[in-house]
């Protein structure tokens, strides 16, 4: 539901946020936090922190049917978002979404939401918060008070009932918390690469033309075909760049590239050692092979356009500042080194006394 407001301290703009609530079935121990929205990341991050707060994992979780978690609602066979399926496998927990338009299936949390709104949000309504973390800090204090508050008609409190009867029934948390990732389907291009957010990652060439599943995490990209992992890469944020593993290329392609690289390096060495260093750096960047060949050919063409001596000098400057790209080299060629001023001529004349005369005079 709607929660307190967050005010931008610079502009005064007000943002309304959502309240995420989770509750355990026996003790009614409650966890609550404010989230910016209802995306898959918001839902799963809230559940991860709720399990951390409870200190264990229940046998099953009963969520509502938001599109961010349940792609197709069904009483008997619902389809879960792939990220939610991964979450369930990570925590070894069953996900049993509530039936559509069946509030009794989630009566515990419906009641917990109402209590949290009265116990937490109503008490915060006159306070001004400038960040989500500040708001959640205040919510955390009040939720803890609510869990410690004695029941009116039952002995103990939510916290005491949890410690006495429910904590031991929870399964232990895994060694590491679930790390959110997104899944998507894509087709492998003819050059055995898949495009993920404007970057290209290689897979074994035999999968060219096939449809694969891509798991995109904060630091990694994993590619699956029919459930089997076929490639894994460190995630790159370079738009239009390529991450290519040599072993993914066909054998004939590798042989062609090796031969082409040898010829290009031989031409560079004929120009000079610094030009060869620049070309070697291009080859070892592991970019897409066509781009490597194109960049190297473009650099060698500078010898024709500007002269071999100018190219070798520009390559030396590129090596000095570790800027060995085609564009950097082109910039050095278009802005050559300034010429050193010639030393002043040595003039011998009886009327010119020179610096030694004044030094002797000072003594």
């Amino acid at each position: 539901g709607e929660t307190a407001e967050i005010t931008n301290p610079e502009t005064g703009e007000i943002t309304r946020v959502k309240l995420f609530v989770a509750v355990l079935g026996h003790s009614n121990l409650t966890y609550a936090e404010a989230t910016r929205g209802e995306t898959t990341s918001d839902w799963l991050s809230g559940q991860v922190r709720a399990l951390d707060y409870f200190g264990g994992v229940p046998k099953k979780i009963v969520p509502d049917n938001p599109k961010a978690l349940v792609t197709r609602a069904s009483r008997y066979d619902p389809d879960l978002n792939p990220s939610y399926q991964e979450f369930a496998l990570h925590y070894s927990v069953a996900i049993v979404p509530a039936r559509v338009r069946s509030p009794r299936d989630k009566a515990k949390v419906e009641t917990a939401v109402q209590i949290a709104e009265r116990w937490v949000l109503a008490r915060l309504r006159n306070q001004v918060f400038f960040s989500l973390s500040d708001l959640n800090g205040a919510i955390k204090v009040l939720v803890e008070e609510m869990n410690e508050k004695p029941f009116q008609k039952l002995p103990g409190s939510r916290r005491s009932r949890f410690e006495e009867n429910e904590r031991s029934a929870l399964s232990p948390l895994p060694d590491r918390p679930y790390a959110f990732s997104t899944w998507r389907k894509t087709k492998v291009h003819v050059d055995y690469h898949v495009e993920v957010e404007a970057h290209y990652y290689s897979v074994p060439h035999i999968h060219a033309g096939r449809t694969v599943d891509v798991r995109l995490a904060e630091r990694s990209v994993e590619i699956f075909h029919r459930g089997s992992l076929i490639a894994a890469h460190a995630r790159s944020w370079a738009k239009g760049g390529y991450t290519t593993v040599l072993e993914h290329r066909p054998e004939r392609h590798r042989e062609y590239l090796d031969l082409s690289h040898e010829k290009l390096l031989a031409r560079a060495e004929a120009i000079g050692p610094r030009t060869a260093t620049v070309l070697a750096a291009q080859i070892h960047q592991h970019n897409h092979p066509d781009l490597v060949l194109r960049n190297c050919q473009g650099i060698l063409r500078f010898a024709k356009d500007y002269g071999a001596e100018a190219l070798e000098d520009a390559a030396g400057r590129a090596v000095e500042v570790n800027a060995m790209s085609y564009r950097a080299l082109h910039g050095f060629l278009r802005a050559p080194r300034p010429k050193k001023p010639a030393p002043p001529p040595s003039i011998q004349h009886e009327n010119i006394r020179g610096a030694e005369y004044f030094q002797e005079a000072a003594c």
Side-chain angles (χ1 to χ4, degrees):
E2 295 287 348
T3 72
E5 302 171 342
I6 297 176
T7 303
N8 187 313
E10 297 179 356
T11 65
E13 180 183 0
I14 294 176
T15 302
R16 299 192 66 83
V17 292
K18 300 289 184 177
L19 183 67
F20 170 86
V21 178
V23 61
L24 290 177
H26 173 73
S27 65
N28 290 325
L29 188 71
T30 301
Y31 173 81
E33 68 172 35
T35 65
R36 293 192 179 277
E38 297 185 57
T39 65
T40 303
S41 177
D42 293 325
W43 278 100
L44 294 186
S45 297
Q47 292 185 47
V48 168
R49 287 188 284 269
L51 295 180
D52 287 343
Y53 178 76
F54 297 144
V57 183
K59 296 294 186 292
K60 68 177 180 180
I61 295 176
V62 182
D64 209 336
N65 284 276
K67 286 293 185 181
L69 296 183
V70 183
T71 55
R72 184 180 66 87
S74 170
R75 178 172 182 172
Y76 303 106
D77 187 23
D79 286 339
L80 300 181
N81 179 293
S83 298
Y84 204 17
Q85 291 177 344
E86 188 179 35
F87 167 92
L89 289 173
H90 184 82
Y91 286 100
S92 300
V93 63
I95 306 297
V96 185
R99 293 171 295 173
V100 178
R101 292 185 294 276
S102 297
R104 289 180 302 174
D105 289 1
K106 54 184 188 303
K108 285 281 185 180
V109 75
E110 293 283 356
T111 303
V113 168
Q114 295 175 5
I115 295 174
E117 288 177 344
R118 291 196 299 264
W119 184 266
V120 178
L121 300 185
R123 297 168 68 181
L124 298 177
R125 64 182 180 274
N126 295 324
Q127 296 187 37
V128 178
F129 298 96
F130 298 109
S131 69
L132 190 65
S133 60
D134 289 342
L135 173 58
N136 277 324
I139 291 175
K140 181 179 179 181
V141 173
L142 296 180
V143 166
E144 199 58 40
E145 289 182 11
M146 182 178 69
N147 286 328
E148 297 287 352
K149 182 177 181 291
F151 289 123
Q152 292 182 354
K153 298 181 180 181
L154 294 173
S157 64
R158 292 175 174 81
R159 174 64 67 183
S160 64
R161 283 172 64 87
F162 169 75
E163 297 294 346
E164 292 169 5
N165 305 314
E166 202 164 27
R167 180 183 287 277
S168 60
L170 299 179
S171 301
L173 292 167
D175 294 336
R176 55 183 178 82
Y178 167 76
F180 176 72
S181 60
T182 57
W183 289 79
R184 61 190 65 181
K185 286 187 179 293
T186 188
K187 192 172 183 179
V188 181
H189 296 179
V190 293
D191 65 352
Y192 50 88
H193 285 72
V194 295
E195 180 183 356
V196 181
E197 295 192 348
H199 190 87
Y200 299 87
Y201 301 89
S202 68
V203 301
H205 65 91
I206 59 172
H207 296 287
R210 294 176 178 173
T211 299
V212 294
D213 296 301
V214 179
R215 178 179 181 269
L216 184 62
E218 182 180 3
R219 298 182 180 179
S220 63
V221 174
E222 296 175 326
I223 304 163
F224 298 81
H225 180 251
R226 295 183 177 178
S228 298
L229 180 67
I230 60 174
H233 302 277
R235 186 171 179 178
S236 174
W237 304 96
K239 301 292 185 182
Y242 284 79
T243 299
T244 306
V245 175
L246 179 62
E247 289 72 17
H248 290 168
R249 298 169 178 160
E251 187 67 30
R252 288 178 298 175
H253 198 174
R254 278 182 264 170
E255 293 174 355
Y256 162 73
L257 289 174
D258 291 341
L259 180 60
S260 300
H261 292 163
E262 289 178 4
K263 290 181 179 179
L264 291 171
L265 283 174
R267 290 174 56 189
E269 289 170 355
I271 296 171
R274 292 172 291 187
T275 303
T277 299
V278 171
L279 248 68
Q282 293 290 319
I283 293 171
H284 293 130
Q285 281 180 347
H286 300 294
N287 280 336
H288 190 270
D290 291 339
L291 291 179
V292 172
L293 293 177
R294 192 180 306 167
N295 287 344
C296 291
Q297 290 169 346
I299 290 172
L300 292 175
R301 183 177 175 83
F302 287 147
K304 179 179 179 181
D305 296 338
Y306 294 92
E309 184 178 347
L311 174 57
E312 179 67 4
D313 179 72
R317 298 169 65 187
V319 172
E320 288 175 6
V321 298
N322 195 27
M324 292 180 280
S325 66
Y326 172 89
R327 291 186 179 181
L329 205 62
H330 195 195
F332 290 135
L333 285 165
R334 296 177 66 180
R337 295 181 192 266
K339 296 182 179 180
K340 295 182 179 179
S346 178
I347 303 175
Q348 301 295 330
H349 191 277
E350 59 181 1
N351 293 333
I352 298 177
R353 290 172 288 189
E356 294 180 357
Y357 171 84
F358 293 98
Q359 290 175 355
E360 293 175 0
C363 296

